[in-house]
Amino acid sequence: MNTLDTKRILSNLATHDPAQLHLTAGFRNALGIALPLLVGTLTGHVSTAVVMAVGALVSGLAGLSGTVRQKLRTMTFAVLWIGLASFLGSVMAHSLLGIMIVTMASGFLAGMMVALSPQATQVGTLATIGLVIFSGFPAIPYFAGIQTLLVIAGGLLQLILMITLALIVPKSTETDSVVAVIKALTDYIQHPTRQYDLTLSYALAMAEGQVSDSLISPRYRQYLWDVLRRIQHIRLLFVDQILETKVRDGTVALPMAPINVESVISGLHNVAQELRRKSQNHRLNRPTLRNNILGQRRLFHSSSSQSLIPSRPLSNQDNVTQAVDELVALAKWPADHILEDDSIVLDVPVEPIVEPILAMVTTLKANLTGHSAAFRHALRMAVILGFAVWLYGTLALPRGYWVPLTTLVILKPDFFSTVVRGVARVLGTIAGVVLASSLIALPFHPLLLTLSVLVVLAVGLYAVFSYNYTLFSAFMTAEIVVLLSFFDHLSPLKTVQERVIDTLIGTALALASYLLWPRWQRTSVPTAIADLVQSQRLYFQFLIMHCDSNILTLDQTAFYRLQIQLARTNALSSLNHVLSRRDKRPVDVEAASGLLTALHRFGEALQVFHTYCVQKSLRVPDNTNHAGQLTAMMGSFVEMLEVIEQTLRTDPKHIPTTLVKRYLEQQPARVTNTWEAHEAMVAQALYAPIGTMIRMFPL
C-alpha cells in the first residue's frame, strides 16, 4: 500500500460531518433501550429486558433519517425482519449446517438490498446482524418464538417513542429540505457551474421525495409542492438563458442583462427566511395520520381553480426577477390560511404506503441475474458469511459469532470502502471492547451503573451513526459488550482477547474475499450510463406508442421497468467502483453523478407520463386537443435521448451544439400557456431532467 493510499485511508477514517450528528434521536433511542432494561431489572426479568433492548437497538438505527412516514415504513420493516431473523438464528443454531444456510440466505438478501437504497441496505445488514447475534443463544422453537415477540416489542417501543416525539416536538424535515433547495438555487445563480447545477438537481430530487412521501397536513404538503414547482420554474428560466448564451456566443458568461442578480438573491433569501419561520410552526410540521397513511395518488386537477395559492400560470415569458417576486409572495402566505381547509384536491404526488414495497420487489427481480452488480455482491456476501460461520463453528471459538458479524458490517461492493471500513472496524472494536470491559471490571458493579453506561453508549452510537464510522464502531461494540454482560460476566482480559481476535479474523475474511473473488467490472461508466439512457428511452417510446390505448397495465410495462432497474443498479455500481479507485479516475465523476441524478428524475417523470396515459381515459372529456402536440413533443424528447445515448457511447467529452439548440426550441412553456394542466405538467416534468443531462456535458 503506497503513501497516497495510506493518506486516503487515514483521511476517510477521520472524515466527519457535523450536520449528521443526531443528538435528539440519540437520546430518544437511548430511552427506548433503557426503559425495558430498567423495568426488567426492577422486576427481576433481566434476560427478557435484554432481548427487548436488542430489538429497540436495531429499530432505532433504522429510523435515524427521513420523514416520519419514511421512518415509520423503514422501522416497521426492520422490526419484522429482525424478529424473523432472531427466531431463525436461535432455532437453527443447534445445527452448524442449518445456521450456515440461514446466515447465507440473510446475507444474500442484505447484499441484494444494495440495488434498492442505502436505507434498505442498512435494514438488511441490521437484520442479519440480529440473526448472527441470536445464533449465539440457541433455543427451542417455543422459547425462540417468545424471544421473537420480545424483539418485536422492543422495536415497537422504539417506533412509539419516535411517533410520540414527532407529535410533541415535530421536526421540520420536509420544510428544511425545501430550504436546502433554495440555498442550492441561490448558489447556482451566483456560480452557474456544473457542480452547483448538480447540487441543485440533487437537492430538488431529495425535497420532492420527502414532500411527496410525508405525513404532514395535505394542505401544507401542497404548499411546499407549489414552492418547489416555482423553484423549478425559476431554474428552467435561468439555465435556458445560460444555454442560449453559450450557443449564441460560444461562451460561458452569465447572461447579466435580463437578470438583476442582487435582487434575485435578496428575494431568495427572503423566501428561505419565510420558510424557516414556518419550520418553527408545530401545527404545520406535525404529522397527521388522517387521510395520510394510505394516501391516494391523484396527479391531476380537473380544474385549475383548485390551486392552493391564487397566482397566474407559469410562463416562459416571465423573467427570473418576476418569477422570484411571485415565489416571495407565495412564501409569505400565512400559516393560518394554509391550514384553514383540508378539503382541497391535491396535485402533489402522494406516495401510497404499499407502492414502495411493490417497487422494491420489481427492483429485486430485475437484479436476479449475473449481469447485476448487486447480485454478484450478494453472492460474494453469502459465500463469505457461510465460510465465516463454518470457521467459528469448526474452531469452536468462544462467542465466535463476532467473526461473521465483523465480516458482514465491513464487506462493501467496492474494495476501497471495504478496506476503510475494515480498518475503522478494527480500531473502533478495540476501543469499544477496552472501554466496555474496563467499565465491567470496576470493583463496584451495581446495575444502576451498568444501565447508566448503556444509556451513555446508546446516545453516542446513534449520535455518530452518520458522523464517523470509527466512532460508531467503538460505541456500537461497547454497547453490545455491556448488553451481553447481562447474560454472562467474562473476565475483562478474556473479553478483550476474544473480541479482538474474532474481529481480526472477520476483517481478514472480508479483505480476502476481494483477492479470491475480484469485482467484475464489465462495462465502463459512460457505457453503463448509456445503457440506462437506452432502457428509459425504450420505455418512453412504448408509453408514447400506447398512450391512447388501454393496454398500459403493470404487466405490459413490467419488462421495461425491470430493464431500467437493472441498468440503474449497474450504472451506480460502475460509478462507485470508479470513486473507490486508488489511481487516476478515468472519467469525469462529477458529470457521471449529474447524469445519474438527472436520469433518476427522468425515471420519475416517466411514471408521471404513465399515470397521465392511464388516467386519460378516466377523465371527463374536456379541451384536451393539445394531446397531439404533446405526443409530437415527446417524440422530440426521444430523439434527444438517442443523441445523448450515442454521445455517451462514442465521445462523452463533446455534446453536439445542434442538440442544445433543439432542446431550447422545445421549451414547453413556450407552447403550454394555453394547454390543459395535464399535458403541461407532463411536458415540464420530462423537459427539465433532459436539460440537466445536456448541461453535464462540456459544450
Side-chain angles (χ1 to χ4, degrees):
M1 185 176 296
N2 57 38
T3 304
L4 179 61
D5 297 334
T6 304
K7 288 182 178 179
R8 284 192 66 199
I9 291 175
L10 293 176
S11 175
N12 277 269
L13 290 176
T15 297
H16 60 281
D17 184 1
Q20 295 299 320
L21 277 173
H22 303 288
L23 291 176
T24 302
F27 283 103
R28 182 197 72 213
N29 292 333
L31 179 62
I33 295 174
L35 281 177
L37 291 174
L38 179 61
V39 174
T41 300
L42 295 177
T43 59
H45 296 85
V46 177
S47 298
T48 298
V50 171
V51 176
M52 288 187 64
V54 171
L57 174 66
V58 175
S59 177
L61 287 171
L64 285 176
S65 61
T67 65
V68 173
R69 197 166 196 250
Q70 292 168 340
K71 292 177 183 177
L72 179 63
R73 184 171 58 242
T74 305
M75 292 176 73
T76 301
F77 185 41
V79 168
L80 295 177
W81 194 348
I82 187 64
L84 175 62
S86 67
F87 178 81
L88 293 175
S90 295
V91 170
M92 302 303 293
H94 299 282
S95 166
L96 179 58
L97 179 60
I99 195 61
M100 282 180 59
I101 292 174
V102 296
T103 303
M104 291 176 68
S106 186
F108 180 81
L109 286 175
M112 287 295 293
M113 294 295 109
V114 171
L116 299 179
S117 66
Q119 292 78 16
T121 304
Q122 176 186 325
V123 171
T125 302
L126 291 173
T128 309
I129 287 174
L131 186 149
V132 171
I133 290 176
F134 281 102
S135 69
F137 305 95
I140 63 174
Y142 173 76
F143 291 109
I146 295 176
Q147 176 180 272
T148 297
L149 294 178
L150 292 173
V151 169
I152 293 176
L156 292 178
L157 172 63
Q158 203 71 277
L159 193 61
I160 292 171
L161 289 175
M162 184 273 293
I163 295 175
T164 302
L165 185 63
L167 291 173
I168 297 175
V169 186
K171 188 175 181 181
S172 55
T173 304
E174 298 87 347
T175 310
D176 293 342
S177 69
V178 178
V179 173
V181 175
I182 296 172
K183 181 182 183 304
L185 177 61
T186 303
D187 292 339
Y188 181 53
I189 290 177
Q190 292 176 314
H191 310 282
T193 64
R194 191 172 59 188
Q195 178 182 357
Y196 286 101
D197 191 358
L198 171 58
T199 302
L200 176 56
S201 295
Y202 180 76
L204 271 167
M206 289 292 294
E208 289 173 356
Q210 293 198 337
V211 171
S212 63
D213 195 8
S214 172
L215 287 179
I216 58 176
S217 159
R219 288 278 296 186
Y220 189 47
R221 187 165 63 243
Q222 175 70 68
Y223 170 82
L224 292 178
W225 193 258
D226 285 347
V227 171
L228 287 174
R229 288 170 60 190
R230 291 281 167 179
I231 293 174
Q232 180 71 293
H233 180 59
I234 294 170
R235 178 198 185 203
L236 288 176
L237 289 172
F238 184 75
V239 299
D240 285 354
Q241 286 186 1
I242 292 178
L243 286 176
E244 287 175 349
T245 302
K246 289 181 179 180
V247 172
R248 183 178 63 249
D249 302 332
T251 66
V252 295
L254 179 68
M256 298 294 295
I259 300 178
N260 185 335
V261 175
E262 292 184 0
S263 174
V264 168
I265 299 302
S266 175
L268 291 176
H269 282 314
N270 290 336
V271 173
Q273 186 176 6
E274 290 294 331
L275 287 177
R276 290 191 186 98
R277 290 196 186 101
K278 289 180 172 61
S279 71
Q280 304 300 317
N281 189 315
H282 287 182
R283 290 181 61 209
L284 287 175
N285 295 281
R286 182 176 292 113
T288 172
L289 302 182
R290 182 172 62 89
N291 298 328
N292 254 327
I293 291 293
L294 299 175
Q296 298 296 313
R297 181 179 288 272
R298 178 76 178 267
L299 285 180
F300 307 113
H301 285 323
S302 60
S303 170
S304 60
S305 64
Q306 292 172 311
S307 179
L308 177 65
I309 307 299
S311 59
R312 60 185 180 78
L314 302 176
S315 168
N316 194 64
Q317 302 306 316
D318 298 339
N319 58 49
V320 175
T321 304
Q322 183 178 2
V324 169
D325 289 341
E326 288 206 354
L327 179 60
V328 172
L330 178 61
K332 291 182 178 180
W333 194 258
D336 290 340
H337 291 181
I338 296 175
L339 293 172
E340 67 183 3
D341 182 13
D342 272 352
S343 63
I344 190 171
V345 178
L346 303 177
D347 69 351
V348 55
V350 182
E351 188 174 20
I353 199 167
V354 297
E355 190 158 306
I357 299 175
L358 297 176
M360 286 193 300
V361 173
T362 300
T363 302
L364 292 177
K365 286 173 59 179
N367 284 275
L368 287 175
T369 169
H371 297 286
S372 167
F375 178 83
R376 299 193 295 269
H377 169 65
L379 203 57
R380 181 196 293 114
M381 177 84 78
V383 172
I384 199 66
L385 284 179
F387 181 76
V389 171
W390 174 85
L391 185 64
Y392 91 72
T394 303
L395 298 179
L397 297 173
R399 300 293 179 259
Y401 55 80
W402 277 67
V403 175
L405 194 66
T406 301
T407 302
L408 172 67
V409 297
I410 69 173
L411 187 59
K412 298 297 171 186
D414 64 89
F415 179 74
F416 182 76
S417 296
T418 299
V419 172
V420 172
R421 299 272 286 200
V423 175
R425 179 72 179 179
V426 171
L427 295 178
T429 297
I430 294 174
V433 167
V434 171
L435 173 62
S437 301
S438 300
L439 293 172
I440 295 174
L442 291 176
F444 52 94
H445 194 303
L447 288 175
L448 183 59
L449 173 62
T450 305
L451 289 173
S452 301
V453 170
L454 281 171
V455 171
V456 172
L457 293 176
V459 172
L461 76 90
Y462 289 117
V464 303
F465 178 71
S466 301
Y467 176 77
N468 179 270
Y469 183 73
T470 307
L471 286 176
F472 168 73
S473 296
F475 280 114
M476 186 66 174
T477 301
E479 180 79 359
I480 293 177
V481 169
V482 175
L483 267 177
L484 295 180
S485 72
F486 276 95
F487 279 122
D488 53 351
H489 294 276
L490 300 176
S491 67
L493 181 59
K494 188 173 181 61
T495 300
V496 172
Q497 179 183 351
E498 291 177 355
R499 299 297 188 264
V500 172
I501 290 176
D502 293 341
T503 298
L504 291 175
I505 294 174
T507 302
L509 288 177
L511 297 179
S513 68
Y514 275 94
L515 299 177
L516 302 175
W517 191 336
R519 185 188 189 281
W520 305 335
Q521 182 65 27
R522 296 184 173 181
T523 58
S524 66
V525 174
T527 301
I529 297 177
D531 291 341
L532 178 55
V533 176
Q534 180 187 47
S535 63
Q536 290 193 340
R537 175 179 59 81
L538 293 175
Y539 179 43
F540 192 15
Q541 288 176 304
F542 178 82
L543 292 178
I544 294 172
M545 186 180 303
H546 299 288
C547 191
D548 290 326
S549 67
N550 294 320
I551 71 166
L552 282 178
T553 64
L554 290 178
D555 291 338
Q556 291 289 341
T557 59
F559 170 79
Y560 295 97
R561 290 183 290 110
L562 287 175
Q563 295 304 307
I564 290 173
Q565 296 293 350
L566 177 58
R568 178 178 292 117
T569 301
N570 289 335
L572 287 171
S573 177
S574 295
L575 179 59
N576 289 333
H577 175 68
V578 170
L579 290 172
S580 67
R581 287 185 58 168
R582 293 165 292 184
D583 54 356
K584 184 177 180 181
R585 293 168 178 171
V587 298
D588 186 339
V589 294
E590 184 179 278
S593 299
L595 283 167
L596 288 177
T597 300
L599 285 166
H600 172 73
R601 291 175 58 80
F602 187 76
E604 293 179 337
L606 286 178
Q607 291 307 109
V608 173
F609 184 39
H610 178 274
T611 304
Y612 162 78
C613 291
V614 171
Q615 293 185 358
K616 189 175 181 182
S617 61
L618 302 179
R619 295 195 300 268
V620 177
D622 50 16
N623 297 325
T624 56
N625 54 349
H626 299 289
Q629 297 179 29
L630 175 64
T631 302
M633 183 179 289
M634 299 299 99
S636 246
F637 290 170
V638 167
E639 293 173 2
M640 285 188 275
L641 289 175
E642 287 182 309
V643 175
I644 292 173
E645 177 191 339
Q646 187 62 28
T647 301
L648 284 166
R649 297 191 190 279
T650 55
D651 186 11
K653 294 183 179 180
H654 300 284
I655 193 76
T657 305
T658 53
L659 174 62
V660 182
K661 292 180 178 179
R662 182 165 189 178
Y663 167 77
L664 293 171
E665 291 171 356
Q666 292 296 323
Q667 291 176 0
R670 289 181 173 178
V671 295
T672 59
N673 294 336
T674 60
W675 284 18
E676 292 296 321
H678 324 119
E679 285 80 16
M681 189 174 82
V682 170
Q684 290 285 359
L686 291 164
Y687 177 78
I690 292 177
T692 302
M693 295 181 214
I694 292 173
R695 293 192 300 275
M696 290 300 109
F697 291 93
L699 289 178

